[in-house]
Amino acid sequence: MADFDIAIIGGGINGAGIARDAAGRGLKVLLVEMNDLGSGTSSASTKLIHGGLRYLEHRAFRLVREALNEREVLLRMAPHVIRPMRFMLPPLPGLRAPLTLRLGLMLYDWLGARRLLPPARTIDLTHNVVGQPLQRSFRFGFEYSDCAVDDARLVVLTALDARERGADIRTHTKVVRTERREDWELVLNNRGHRQVATARVLVNAAGPWIGEVAETILRTPLPKPVRLIKGSHIVVRRRFEHDTGYILQAPDKRVVFALPFAGDFTMIGTTDEKFVGDLNAPAPDAREILYLCDVMNQYFRDKVTPDELVWSFSGVRALVDDGSDRPEDVTRDYELVLEEPFRVAPLLTVYGGKITTYRRLAEAAMTKIGTFFSTRPAWTADSHLPGGDFPAQDFYDQVAGTIARWPFLSEPQARRLVRAYGTRVEMILGEAQSIDDLGPQLTEDLTGAEVRYLVEQEWAETAEDVLWRRTKLGLKASPDERIAINRFIASLGAAEARAAR
Ligand code: FAD
């Protein structure tokens, strides 16, 4: 008998989502991630839980409706790491007509089931704070709802829930070879240590690596061709003080978002480019950076220039190749292909998808592979991720409750902690009576207690894991602070002990 019912290659949002859903249905699950959780495309997204307004033009109604409906399901599931956001769409002369935009937003509102999110409306930009950073020629715009998410934390929380439901999650473990018989035999490399595991079903959820995994590790052709498309973002100092994001129409008919980011910053993206190069180090090129600056500068008074970037990052989508000419036209919908040749173990390959649809993708995966087992029914629609067990509209009550219990925290400190950990702040703050009880102050915002929690509970092993994927404090941390965090982690010894297990 195999060690596991299902083995999943890839600890991005899709692999983690399938692991959680399957574990919650009572299956024995192994999830293998070669680096840190969420270190691939799932930490390089625009960080929106959205229907995708632009996909309406592609008549992708199924995808848009499913994604719109997921917004509130996910918001209820993770009201800490997901938050409602309003978006401003200013019409630009010569592009889509205002009437077209307004009708599109009416359709967007109509397609999506909304209970918590307010509808679209027209805004007078001359008398609204949202109009202030824009050039004076923008006199009105359309405001609508979607949500923002901490993408990397969503992956970690999903994996955490999978583990708490019995899944075996192995980070820094690469699948290096497989043998396909009646069961799968997987050879794994965990920092030079060889491990072997067997499973009845294998899921290739390796994101942009699916082709490489198929060719070199599964030694079987991908069932459908994949199209790798790179998207890049830049981060600059804050261009506006409010919480509304901007969706900017670019002259090439694409859209670019300008979003409030990590308190003091504005994140701008994305591009759509054919990907070539090293999957382990995708990065924006000068042309993409200039493109994003140019789009911003058509709308904002305060010009953005390439020399003022505080951060930039790129991610690569692995989409089913539908033959579209332009990268931005390739469908963002997901596709799951199950191959079950006679007498050998089944293989499920995951293409595409969005952070927004990951829960539905996982359900669809279970519909396909659940037939090989007797499993419990679908369960994730009414569930909570760890720390998300409070009503979505009560976020600020949670913050107030946190300050009441730990009065030494400032409002921004409490808000950041509740955003990241929800009700699990308790596991970090415990019985602390003062900030000094939380261990060394590693950065202005980061305490030893938080890092200890991340190492012990959330698979963090380096300052990079802590600063870029478990928090976004990397934008403010100095090189000395990074060294201090790594020293502190080493002193805990937990990472080493876990690696040796
Ligand atoms: P990944 O996150 O890449 O995970 C695959 C994992 O497999 C990696 O962590 C990798 O290390 C691991 N792996 C590979 N090979 C092996 C091996 N041999 N052994 C073990 N592990 C292995 N979606 C939205 O809903 N909203 C957005 O705003 C949004 N914006 C986006 C912006 C950009 C620029 C891009 C590129 C995508 C965006 N998306 C968005 C889409 C979304 O980010 C992706 O669909 C999603 O992150 C894909 O997740 P994944 O799990 O399939 O892949």
Side-chain angles (χ1 to χ4, degrees), residues 8-16 32-50 55 149 151 155 170 173-176 188 204-210 212-213 217 229-233 257 270-272 280 313-319 332 350-357 361:
I8 301 160
I9 306 178
I13 193 65
N14 288 328
V32 187
E33 165 54 51
M34 66 179 174
N35 296 314
D36 185 22
L37 292 166
S39 56
T41 310
S42 298
S43 54
S45 81
T46 311
K47 306 173 203 322
L48 298 178
I49 299 293
H50 64 156
Y55 310 144
V149 61
D151 50 6
V155 178
R170 299 189 198 171
T173 305
K174 184 172 183 177
V175 180
V176 287
L188 313 175
N204 180 359
W209 290 267
I210 52 168
E212 193 178 301
V213 165
I217 297 169
I229 293 170
K230 180 176 79 159
S232 300
H233 292 84
F257 288 95
T270 175
T271 54
D272 275 302
N280 295 306
F313 58 91
S314 301
V316 181
R317 302 177 200 259
L319 304 174
R332 265 53 175 163
V350 177
Y351 291 83
K354 292 155 60 68
I355 304 266
T356 311
T357 50
L361 182 151

Side-chain angles (χ1 to χ4, degrees), residues 293-367:
C293 293
D294 284 348
V295 176
M296 274 297 275
N297 294 339
Q298 286 198 300
Y299 290 84
F300 281 74
R301 294 185 201 181
D302 187 1
K303 300 289 177 218
V304 175
T305 54
D307 56 358
E308 62 162 307
L309 270 48
V310 292
W311 189 37
S312 63
F313 58 91
S314 301
V316 181
R317 302 177 200 259
L319 304 174
V320 174
D321 192 351
D322 61 6
S324 299
D325 289 339
R326 302 192 317 163
E328 58 267 39
D329 293 340
V330 182
T331 177
R332 265 53 175 163
D333 214 344
Y334 57 81
E335 194 160 332
L336 304 171
V337 184
L338 179 68
E339 294 168 282
E340 40 175 339
F342 184 57
R343 283 211 173 147
V344 290
L347 170 66
L348 184 75
T349 305
V350 177
Y351 291 83
K354 292 155 60 68
I355 304 266
T356 311
T357 50
Y358 91 98
R359 193 197 64 81
R360 289 296 300 269
L361 182 151
E363 277 186 346
M366 290 311 299
T367 303

Side-chain angles (χ1 to χ4, degrees), residues 19-187:
R20 172 180 186 244
D21 193 326
R25 294 186 200 224
L27 297 180
K28 284 182 75 181
V29 177
L30 172 67
L31 175 79
V32 187
E33 165 54 51
M34 66 179 174
N35 296 314
D36 185 22
L37 292 166
S39 56
T41 310
S42 298
S43 54
S45 81
T46 311
K47 306 173 203 322
L48 298 178
I49 299 293
H50 64 156
L53 194 52
R54 197 173 63 83
Y55 310 144
L56 286 179
E57 286 181 332
H58 295 277
R59 298 176 191 277
F61 297 121
R62 193 210 72 78
L63 172 65
V64 176
R65 184 194 289 272
E66 181 174 288
L68 284 172
N69 290 339
E70 274 305 277
R71 291 179 308 187
E72 293 198 7
V73 175
L74 296 186
L75 182 58
R76 277 192 291 271
M77 192 168 100
H80 44 346
V81 292
I82 298 177
R83 66 179 198 282
M85 194 185 258
R86 295 290 277 172
F87 289 81
M88 167 49 56
L89 169 53
L92 190 71
L95 292 175
R96 299 162 188 92
L99 182 64
T100 309
L101 297 177
R102 191 67 189 91
L103 289 174
L105 287 172
M106 279 168 69
L107 179 61
Y108 203 66
D109 269 348
W110 180 75
L111 282 173
R114 277 181 308 103
R115 291 219 191 112
L116 302 169
L117 301 173
R121 59 177 185 157
T122 305
I123 295 275
D124 175 359
L125 291 174
T126 60
H127 288 92
N128 193 296
V129 66
V130 179
Q132 277 171 11
L134 297 178
Q135 291 173 21
R136 290 219 172 75
S137 53
F138 294 101
R139 307 194 67 77
F140 71 98
F142 305 111
E143 197 187 64
Y144 70 96
S145 292
D146 266 325
C147 293
V149 61
D150 185 332
D151 50 6
R153 283 208 62 73
L154 190 72
V155 178
V156 171
L157 294 179
T158 302
L160 189 57
D161 201 45
R163 184 177 70 191
E164 291 177 1
R165 294 172 191 277
D168 184 344
I169 312 282
R170 299 189 198 171
T171 61
H172 297 281
T173 305
K174 184 172 183 177
V175 180
V176 287
R177 206 163 60 79
T178 56
E179 294 299 335
R180 189 179 191 177
R181 302 189 195 95
E182 274 190 23
D183 292 327
W184 286 95
E185 184 183 275
L186 313 180
V187 179

Side-chain angles (χ1 to χ4, degrees), residues 217-272:
I217 297 169
L218 309 177
R219 301 186 305 283
T220 175
L222 270 181
K224 293 191 172 194
V226 66
R227 187 100 167 250
L228 297 184
I229 293 170
K230 180 176 79 159
S232 300
H233 292 84
I234 57 174
V235 177
V236 296
R237 81 180 146 72
R238 185 166 62 184
R239 287 312 205 265
F240 44 90
E241 304 270 323
H242 55 75
D243 269 349
T244 300
Y246 294 85
I247 173 167
L248 310 173
Q249 302 178 76
D252 59 1
K253 290 205 150 183
R254 297 182 62 262
V255 293
V256 167
F257 288 95
L259 304 171
F261 188 63
D264 297 336
F265 304 95
T266 297
M267 182 178 83
I268 304 159
T270 175
T271 54
D272 275 302

Side-chain angles (χ1 to χ4, degrees), residues 271-460:
T271 54
D272 275 302
E273 300 271 319
K274 178 180 174 199
F275 174 75
V276 279
D278 179 2
L279 274 177
N280 295 306
D285 60 39
R287 205 168 34 83
E288 290 177 277
I289 293 171
L290 210 53
Y291 169 85
L292 294 173
C293 293
D294 284 348
V295 176
M296 274 297 275
N297 294 339
Q298 286 198 300
Y299 290 84
F300 281 74
R301 294 185 201 181
D302 187 1
K303 300 289 177 218
V304 175
T305 54
D307 56 358
E308 62 162 307
L309 270 48
V310 292
W311 189 37
S312 63
F313 58 91
S314 301
V316 181
R317 302 177 200 259
L319 304 174
V320 174
D321 192 351
D322 61 6
S324 299
D325 289 339
R326 302 192 317 163
E328 58 267 39
D329 293 340
V330 182
T331 177
R332 265 53 175 163
D333 214 344
Y334 57 81
E335 194 160 332
L336 304 171
V337 184
L338 179 68
E339 294 168 282
E340 40 175 339
F342 184 57
R343 283 211 173 147
V344 290
L347 170 66
L348 184 75
T349 305
V350 177
Y351 291 83
K354 292 155 60 68
I355 304 266
T356 311
T357 50
Y358 91 98
R359 193 197 64 81
R360 289 296 300 269
L361 182 151
E363 277 186 346
M366 290 311 299
T367 303
K368 292 214 178 247
I369 55 185
T371 53
F372 301 110
F373 313 97
S374 66
T375 67
R376 294 179 210 142
W379 63 278
T380 54
D382 295 314
S383 63
H384 294 290
L385 287 179
D389 49 340
F390 62 90
Q393 53 278 30
D394 287 0
F395 175 78
Y396 285 98
D397 292 346
Q398 288 292 322
V399 176
T402 302
I403 295 171
R405 168 112 189 256
W406 293 281
F408 56 86
L409 293 176
S410 67
E411 198 276 342
Q413 284 172 327
R415 187 159 24 95
R416 185 186 73 75
L417 288 170
V418 176
R419 267 278 164 253
Y421 307 103
T423 54
R424 293 204 175 184
V425 287
E426 163 82 44
M427 293 173 74
I428 296 170
L429 301 173
E431 298 306 316
Q433 303 288 323
S434 75
I435 201 88
D436 294 338
D437 293 340
L438 295 175
Q441 195 71 37
L442 295 163
T443 74
E444 191 188 336
D445 298 292
L446 193 67
T447 62
E450 185 172 349
V451 174
R452 177 188 291 274
Y453 171 83
L454 293 174
V455 170
E456 289 176 353
Q457 301 296 324
E458 293 196 2
W459 299 275

